[in-house]
Amino acid sequence: MDILGRQVAEQLAADLPHLVMTDMCQIRRDTEFTVLGGAVEDGRLLAAKIAHERVLGGTNSRYTSARDIIDQEALLITHCRAHGIPMPQVHGKSCHGPDGLDFIVIDWLEDDHTVPDAFFLGAVLNRLHAMNPPAFEPIAQRGEPLERMLSTAIVDRAITITRLTPRDFTLPTTEELLAHLSWPDRRTSLLHMNFGAETLPSIEGTIAGIMDWGSALIGPPTLELMGLDEQGLLDDSFLGGYANYEMFRAPPATETAFRLYSATETAMQFVIDDTDHEQGRKALNRVNFLFEEFARLTR
């Protein structure tokens, strides 16, 4: 067992002795979490999902404490599970702050990496959006309205890109974006904002759970749908499963601003990673097109 595994075992023994796991192994590691799996005394397979000490949030570039990420993850998994959304059970939390680890213990979800059918993905997302959201303030929205956070993030990301590349966009002001992001005729739902194969463990195409809620928002479903469309996931089959998409169509300028929120994040990540130059070039071209489209629609 490595150092991290020993730390998890020590905290489990102190805080959650009925959940002490043996033969732990690393299941996954990403920018927010390391996940270790193991068996408890009664033979159940569980996973400890450990938040990294400080996480740079993808949604708004704020540093977020590990405990905040763990609290949000546990709350939203539990809330969705109570409303019939496929989710693991949360068995407990152990939070020791700067002198230890912050993690939750959940069911180990098997994943054979079979991508679920697009129609089924759409149906699950529709259930998520139709559910009453919990009464909480997502980490990414703390201290300001959603539309203000979105507009600031779009401009900040674009400025970051122009600093790191020769690109020069036709940037709107934050206030111009805000005027169209403040869409009055909208539904409000819990949005996952990272909905895709990487966050949807599944067996033979059946989703076992929706994981990684660090980027979650409370806002109009169209915002998430436009982000999925920017990733090429919103095809006819997905929309067939989602159903009633036309109900959520925003005005063209608002829809373009929603797309910019997703497109600028994707392009900025390509620029920072500096790996896939061809895909990065396409992402930058897409951002440029969307800024020009927004300018045309708001003249």
Side-chain angles (χ1 to χ4, degrees), residues 43-145:
R44 287 176 299 157
L45 295 177
L46 301 180
K49 193 166 186 180
I50 307 137
H52 298 171
E53 184 177 358
R54 287 174 67 80
V55 178
L56 181 59
T59 52
N60 60 3
S61 299
R62 296 172 180 166
Y63 279 102
T64 302
S65 74
R67 180 169 294 192
D68 284 347
I69 289 283
I70 286 297
D71 286 344
Q72 178 162 300
E73 187 87 1
L75 169 68
L76 294 181
I77 288 175
T78 302
H79 181 82
C80 291
R81 180 181 172 88
H83 285 77
I85 307 294
M87 286 291 175
Q89 182 177 347
V90 176
H91 295 280
K93 290 193 295 184
S94 177
C95 295
H96 284 213
D99 299 322
L101 302 173
D102 295 318
F103 61 85
I104 55 174
V105 180
I106 61 175
D107 295 328
W108 181 335
L109 300 181
E110 295 289 346
D111 184 7
D112 64 7
H113 304 291
T114 301
V115 178
D117 179 77
F119 185 94
F120 183 55
L121 287 175
V124 171
L125 187 63
N126 179 267
R127 289 173 60 192
L128 176 66
H129 288 170
M131 175 187 69
N132 288 328
F136 91 116
E137 187 177 42
I139 293 167
Q141 292 173 243
R142 288 182 181 172
E144 60 185 352

Side-chain angles (χ1 to χ4, degrees), residues 156-196:
D156 285 353
R157 292 168 184 164
I159 290 173
T160 297
I161 292 169
T162 59
R163 286 174 177 166
L164 298 175
T165 71
R167 293 283 178 150
D168 186 17
F169 302 122
T170 305
L171 287 183
T173 66
T174 301
E175 296 304 318
E176 287 171 335
L177 283 165
L178 187 60
H180 294 277
L181 288 165
S182 303
W183 175 31
D185 184 21
R186 66 183 190 184
R187 283 184 50 187
T188 300
S189 300
L190 174 63
L191 312 179
H192 184 267
M193 300 306 294
N194 194 17
F195 193 82

Side-chain angles (χ1 to χ4, degrees), residues 265-284:
E265 182 172 18
T266 298
M268 185 178 70
Q269 199 57 57
F270 272 120
V271 169
I272 292 171
D273 291 345
D274 193 29
T275 51
D276 192 333
H277 295 154
E278 178 59 22
Q279 290 301 314
R281 183 184 62 80
K282 291 179 179 179
L284 291 170

